[in-house]
Amino acid sequence: MIEEEYIRLIFGLKLKQIRAEKNLSLFGLAKITGLSKSYLNEIEKGKKYPKRDKIILLAEALDATYDQMVSLKLDKNLAPIGEILQSRILKEIPLEIFGIKESNLIDIIAEAPLKVNAFISTLFEIAKHYNLTRESFFLAALRSYQEAHNNYFEDLELQVEKFAKAYSIDLSKKLKVEDLEEILIEEYGYTINNEELTTHKELIYLRSVFVQKSKTLLISKDADTSQRMFIYAKEIAYNYLEITDRLYTFSWIKFESFDQVLNNFFASYFAGALLIPRKELVKELKSIFEKKSFETQSFKALIAKFTDSPETFYQRLTNILPKDFNLKNIFFLRFNYKPERNDFQLTKELHITNLLEPHGNENNEHYCRRWISIKTLKEIPASKENHLFESQISSYNHTDNEYFVISSATKDPFRSGYYRSIALGIMISPHSQGKIQFLNNPEIKKRRVGVTCESCAMADCAERVVPPKKLERKLRNEATDKVVQSLMEKYG
């Protein structure tokens, strides 16, 4: 059923368009019809829908038919607005979490429909050009939501503490998988099945499936302890937080709505906060940050103290660093790598509080091989270590920005023959150097880096894999423009 406000808005857009084509002002239309200017203004803004007799009156005044006025079909130049309104995208994303009222957007559309239409058309073209899927759009919206809150959510932190108190869990000690499994079975009536998933070759990349009707949690036999812990913690979150609109697979296959994306994030946040308690982590980080030099083994030991999953640990750092250390200029990256293809794919990123370097691109450009996250990925297949960890200061050649970057590379826990690296970067500034003493150590390894080979100006880069085509094109256009400007001055 088409919603009333959509019908009101379409009618208002059509009325405004036809009135403009007749070169009539609102005042002029009011004089012809005998309707008040304020009433007509509310109709055009989609706030009121006239009764049949008023529509007939307006149609006669504008030399239009009744059917033309009430039809929901928009002219070509307004069609994209109709598409985005009918697509329900404004309904699928809970705008209130961004502090936006849908009525405000409706007012903007009604106020300048042609300009908004051009903007929407541009977005559609960009989406098609970059093969932007519905899921990609939802995930981008989620990242914006996380960044807007510095990726810290106090209410979820408090819920974890309440849960721990209610179930007599000591957050100062490392949880055991048996503890969480017992809660799922005894408290929430779950049945755990460790055999079924393995019998389906189509599900080899899934670690779990939850069957809601029977409360059966199917878990892959290949799931290691850290994965099982995280799955259990997420299931506890769904139950304890009373989330019903949820995903049923790990990893996700598809999202039905933005609410599912958001709820999946809330459950994951709860799980991370339960497995790596905030107070304990802050205490340990303060001890490391007070040291004059960065000790690799101490940091790896810190990760192992809380979890066997570097990704869970790094994700948790993105919650804690902005809140408890006021370190907000940070980024998080996850790369996947298959040696046979020599292909590095950025599969997850988060930037707090700005869009910092490095960032993902959709142009199939080659990420800088000097990034520590790429370096660890290239080395891990031949390494005897299960967890390859490195750090460096990355100095970006086209900006004044420098970041202390740590990276952990491991086998991909979900796909055979693949590897992944997790990287966390902290912008170096007087503030961060005051919080982290070892950032003042001149012995930290430093490297100049770029973003992609195609856009990089470093001429002496031994790691370059393709020429700087994008940069060369930019410089060529700038040189051409300079000559054109000189000709303009000469003959102007």
Side-chain angles (χ1 to χ4, degrees), residues 244-272:
T244 54
D245 190 5
R246 53 160 293 178
L247 301 180
Y248 295 99
T249 65
F250 181 71
S251 298
W252 63 270
I253 301 173
K254 63 178 181 178
F255 297 115
E256 298 294 343
S257 66
F258 183 72
D259 279 338
Q260 288 187 352
V261 178
L262 193 60
N263 289 336
N264 180 66
F265 167 70
F266 288 154
S268 297
Y269 189 106
F270 183 100

Side-chain angles (χ1 to χ4, degrees), residues 45-229:
K45 287 190 173 184
K47 294 181 178 178
K48 287 188 177 179
Y49 192 86
K51 293 182 178 179
R52 178 181 173 83
D53 61 327
K54 300 288 194 308
I55 296 175
I56 293 173
L57 185 63
L58 287 167
E60 291 175 349
L62 295 169
D63 194 23
T65 68
Y66 178 87
D67 289 343
Q68 182 184 357
M69 296 294 292
V70 300
S71 170
L72 295 176
K73 186 176 181 180
L74 288 167
D75 290 345
K76 184 179 179 181
N77 58 350
L78 290 178
I81 288 179
E83 286 183 39
I84 199 168
L85 292 172
Q86 277 192 308
S87 71
R88 294 182 55 81
I89 197 70
L90 298 181
K91 291 294 185 187
E92 290 196 32
I93 297 180
L95 296 169
E96 65 274 7
I97 70 172
F98 294 98
I100 300 172
K101 292 183 178 179
E102 187 179 352
S103 58
N104 297 144
L105 291 182
I106 300 298
D107 286 345
I108 293 171
I109 292 173
E111 191 64 36
L114 292 179
K115 291 181 180 179
V116 174
N117 175 71
F119 177 66
I120 292 171
S121 298
T122 302
L123 291 181
F124 282 174
E125 286 300 313
I126 292 172
K128 285 189 288 185
H129 182 70
Y130 288 106
N131 296 318
L132 183 65
T133 64
R134 187 164 170 268
E135 286 84 1
S136 299
F137 180 79
F138 284 159
L139 292 172
L142 174 63
R143 284 198 300 272
S144 297
Y145 176 68
Q146 291 176 257
E147 291 161 10
H149 291 81
N150 294 324
N151 205 30
Y152 179 81
F153 297 87
E154 183 73 24
D155 55 335
L156 292 174
E157 299 282 347
L158 293 175
Q159 289 284 15
V160 167
E161 292 183 6
K162 285 175 60 179
F163 170 80
K165 184 176 181 180
Y167 288 87
S168 300
I169 293 174
D170 186 352
L171 291 178
S172 66
K173 296 179 181 179
K174 189 174 182 179
L175 284 171
K176 296 178 181 178
V177 69
E178 295 83 9
D179 299 332
L180 301 184
E181 187 174 274
E182 183 182 19
I183 292 173
L184 283 178
I185 294 172
E186 298 298 330
E187 183 68 12
Y188 298 117
Y190 274 47
T191 299
I192 311 294
N193 183 316
N194 298 297
E195 304 296 331
E196 182 66 30
L197 286 191
T198 312
T199 65
H200 302 273
K201 64 179 181 179
E202 298 86 356
L203 306 181
I204 58 174
Y205 296 131
L206 291 184
R207 286 298 174 263
S208 70
V209 175
F210 178 62
V211 183
Q212 186 177 31
K213 188 175 181 180
S214 62
K215 286 195 170 183
T216 301
L217 183 61
L218 309 174
I219 296 189
S220 170
K221 288 196 299 187
D222 297 329
D224 59 29
T225 301
S226 61
Q227 293 167 10
R228 192 174 286 265
M229 289 277 285

Side-chain angles (χ1 to χ4, degrees), residues 206-426:
L206 291 184
R207 286 298 174 263
S208 70
V209 175
F210 178 62
V211 183
Q212 186 177 31
K213 188 175 181 180
S214 62
K215 286 195 170 183
T216 301
L217 183 61
L218 309 174
I219 296 189
S220 170
K221 288 196 299 187
D222 297 329
D224 59 29
T225 301
S226 61
Q227 293 167 10
R228 192 174 286 265
M229 289 277 285
F230 192 76
I231 292 167
Y232 286 169
K234 276 188 72 174
E235 290 299 324
I236 287 173
Y238 281 130
N239 285 274
Y240 187 74
L241 299 176
E242 299 181 347
I243 295 173
T244 54
D245 190 5
R246 53 160 293 178
L247 301 180
Y248 295 99
T249 65
F250 181 71
S251 298
W252 63 270
I253 301 173
K254 63 178 181 178
F255 297 115
E256 298 294 343
S257 66
F258 183 72
D259 279 338
Q260 288 187 352
V261 178
L262 193 60
N263 289 336
N264 180 66
F265 167 70
F266 288 154
S268 297
Y269 189 106
F270 183 100
L274 179 61
L275 299 176
I276 306 178
R278 175 187 170 194
K279 292 178 182 178
E280 292 299 309
L281 179 56
V282 169
K283 183 173 66 176
E284 295 287 350
L285 287 174
K286 283 181 177 178
S287 176
I288 285 181
F289 289 171
E290 288 171 357
K291 295 180 179 179
K292 300 298 182 183
S293 61
F294 181 70
E295 299 173 2
T296 295
Q297 293 305 318
S298 295
F299 196 81
K300 287 182 69 175
L302 176 60
I303 297 175
K305 178 177 180 178
F306 289 101
T307 177
D308 296 324
S309 169
E311 180 170 3
T312 301
F313 186 82
Y314 282 57
Q315 287 271 24
R316 190 64 174 135
L317 288 181
T318 67
N319 310 140
I320 299 304
L321 294 180
K323 172 63 178 179
D324 293 284
F325 296 90
N326 199 27
L327 296 171
K328 297 177 181 178
N329 285 322
I330 64 176
F331 65 76
F332 170 94
L333 304 176
R334 182 182 70 201
F335 276 96
N336 281 11
Y337 173 55
K338 188 173 179 63
E340 290 83 353
R341 298 178 184 172
N342 197 31
D343 181 31
F344 300 91
Q345 292 186 326
L346 180 58
T347 55
K348 196 168 189 178
E349 64 177 319
L350 182 69
H351 301 268
I352 306 171
T353 54
N354 303 302
L355 182 59
L356 309 172
E357 306 290 8
H359 56 79
N361 74 83
E362 299 294 338
N363 295 315
N364 296 318
E365 295 181 18
H366 296 76
Y367 294 108
C368 178
R369 272 30 180 184
R370 294 183 173 213
W371 291 353
I372 195 69
S373 48
I374 300 291
K375 181 176 182 294
T376 53
L377 261 186
K378 290 174 68 177
E379 294 176 353
I380 187 65
S383 174
K384 294 181 180 179
E385 297 186 46
N386 295 325
H387 175 189
L388 193 62
F389 177 89
E390 285 201 39
S391 62
Q392 73 179 31
I393 291 177
S394 293
S395 177
Y396 286 84
N397 66 332
H398 62 295
T399 71
D400 295 328
N401 295 336
E402 291 186 335
Y403 299 89
F404 175 69
V405 186
I406 54 176
S407 177
S408 290
T410 62
K411 287 184 178 180
D412 190 314
F414 302 109
R415 294 188 291 178
S416 176
Y418 283 79
Y419 298 83
R420 67 168 47 179
S421 72
I422 312 298
L424 182 94
I426 303 171

